[in-house]
Each structure stands twice: as structure tokens, then as C-alpha cells.
Amino acid sequence: MNEILKIIKSRRSIRSFTEQQIKEEDLQAILEAGQYAPNGIGNQPWHFIVVQNKELLEALSSASKQVAKNHELGFFRNLANTKEFNAFYGAPTVVIVAGDEQTQCSLADCAAATQNMLLAAEALGLGACWINFGLFIFDGEESAHYKQLLKVPEGFRPFYSVALGYRKGEVPKAAQRKEQVVIFI
Ligand SMILES: Cc1cc2nc3c(=O)[nH]c(=O)nc-3n(C[C@H](O)[C@H](O)[C@H](O)COP(=O)(O)O)c2cc1C
């Protein structure tokens, strides 16, 4: 099978990491892959914030859990109330993708960049997971404080994040794919 198609199929969300930090060259390659994503009208309305500070990641996770305690979905409220739950699963590196709030396709562009980074991580033999939970803080009252800590540019908002590290344990199996989701006209 074609290498890229293999990577797309073998990528899984990894939620358990060793403490070992990823290599700088791998991080740079992943960030570059993010920046080569397709983007509406060529706007590239993104900003990538690399966080490798354990305390800051813990703080973001705890603060997001606090916000998620009032989430309308019970799934998120349950996670928020689980003491040992860490939104970033202890990953040594997290890349936050912030998008320009005024740009038309910002969400889609940042999502494309996020997926590119996940695939790049898989290609480099790293574990990765797309994380939105850890950014719930930006729906809460402390949003401005954390935006300042993370040096989020004016007019941008953190939309998505990617946890990165070396996998610990087994790679989970892919869920069964839904059937009859394709129509040929
Ligand atoms: C928009 C989006 C947000 C996600 N947020 C989280 C998250 O906060 N925490 C988490 O563990 N996984 C998160 N995921 C990963 C999904 O749970 C995962 O992709 C899905 O269960 C399918 O599994 P797979 O990635 O192994 O194929 C997110 C995925 C997407 C696309």
C-alpha cells in the first residue's frame, strides 16, 4: 500500500506517553507539516504554540477541568470530576493551534493543520492525540490570563491542540468504520 495511505490508516489517538521528550528535529518537522496544510484563500490564519512546561500543562488541564464541570455533556463532566484525569495525558509536548478569529475559514484551516501534524507524528513513529478538552479554559473566566501566559497573539483563539510523545503501551485498534457513508452519483 502507498506509504501515506498506510500512515492515514495506522494513525490512532495515543493517550499514554513515556516521560521522554521528543527530538527537536521531529518537533520542527511536525510544525512544518502543520504549516503546509491547505487553508482558505491562502490566509494561513494560524499560530502554533509549543508547550513543554509540565507545570503549565498541568495548570491548563486543571483549569480546563474546572470549566468542564459545568459542561452540558455528561461525558465531559465525568472526565472533569475524575481526579486522575489529565487532559493532555502527561504528554511531554503539546502544540496548541490558535486561529485568527476574524478570518473566514480559520476553524477549518486550523483543523487541517492539526490533522497534518497528527499524520506527521505517525510518520515519525511518535504517539499523538488531538486534544480539545485541555482548551476548555478558553471558554471560562480565566481565558485572558491563560492567553497571556501562552502568548496567544491579539485576535487569535486557541482552537485545537496536539499532544505528542513516545507511546507507552499498546496502540489501540481502530473503531469499526461506519458503513453506507458513500454515495456515487
Ligand atoms: C475535534 C476533535 C477533538 C478531540 N478532542 C479530544 C480530547 O479532548 N481528548 C481526547 O482524548 N481525544 C480527543 N480527540 C480524539 C478522538 O477521540 C479520536 O480521534 C476518536 O476517538 C477516533 O479515534 P482515533 O483517533 O484513534 O482514530 C479529538 C478528536 C477531534 C477530531
Side-chain angles (χ1 to χ4, degrees):
M1 195 196 280
N2 168 284
E3 266 316 300
I4 292 180
L5 295 181
K6 250 193 254 171
I7 286 161
I8 289 172
K9 276 189 86 174
S10 63
R11 180 214 57 79
R12 295 275 71 77
S13 292
I14 298 301
R15 299 186 174 88
S16 184
F17 300 92
T18 70
E19 290 205 352
Q20 192 186 344
Q21 188 51 273
I22 65 172
K23 294 189 203 115
E24 178 62 27
E25 69 205 69
D26 287 350
L27 175 59
Q28 290 302 338
I30 290 166
L31 290 166
E32 190 177 38
Q35 291 166 73
Y36 271 81
N39 53 96
I41 336 180
N43 273 323
Q44 302 180 39
W46 43 51
H47 203 82
F48 300 82
I49 299 154
V50 179
V51 188
Q52 296 185 319
N53 178 316
K54 216 174 164 176
E55 287 74 40
L56 180 51
L57 289 173
E58 285 284 344
L60 272 175
S61 173
S62 309
S64 289
K65 283 172 78 174
Q66 221 32 56
V67 174
K69 282 183 179 172
N70 295 317
H71 202 284
E72 57 182 325
L73 293 182
F75 178 80
F76 292 128
R77 289 199 304 276
N78 284 343
L79 285 176
N81 289 312
T82 303
K83 197 163 167 265
E84 57 280 11
F85 175 70
N86 176 300
F88 301 107
Y89 305 105
T93 293
V94 172
V95 179
I96 295 173
V97 186
D100 184 340
E101 294 191 276
Q102 297 303 316
T103 301
Q104 174 122 42
C105 305
S106 206
L107 274 168
D109 300 340
C110 289
T114 302
Q115 171 70 350
N116 263 18
M117 291 196 288
L118 294 177
L119 293 177
E122 176 70 20
L124 294 167
L126 294 170
C129 189
W130 183 318
I131 309 279
N132 276 14
F133 192 107
L135 306 181
F136 280 148
I137 178 65
F138 299 103
D139 294 328
E141 285 167 9
E142 288 185 290
S143 174
H145 169 68
Y146 279 95
K147 273 186 170 177
Q148 198 180 15
L149 269 184
L150 292 165
K151 302 189 168 72
V152 177
E154 193 58 36
F156 279 61
R157 183 194 157 102
F159 288 138
Y160 311 118
S161 73
V162 176
L164 292 164
Y166 292 97
R167 302 179 189 104
K168 192 158 92 181
E170 297 282 295
V171 175
K173 274 207 158 51
Q176 184 76 29
R177 295 295 104 175
K178 283 188 179 172
E179 292 179 12
Q180 294 171 355
V181 294
V182 181
I183 295 172
F184 293 89
I185 310 287

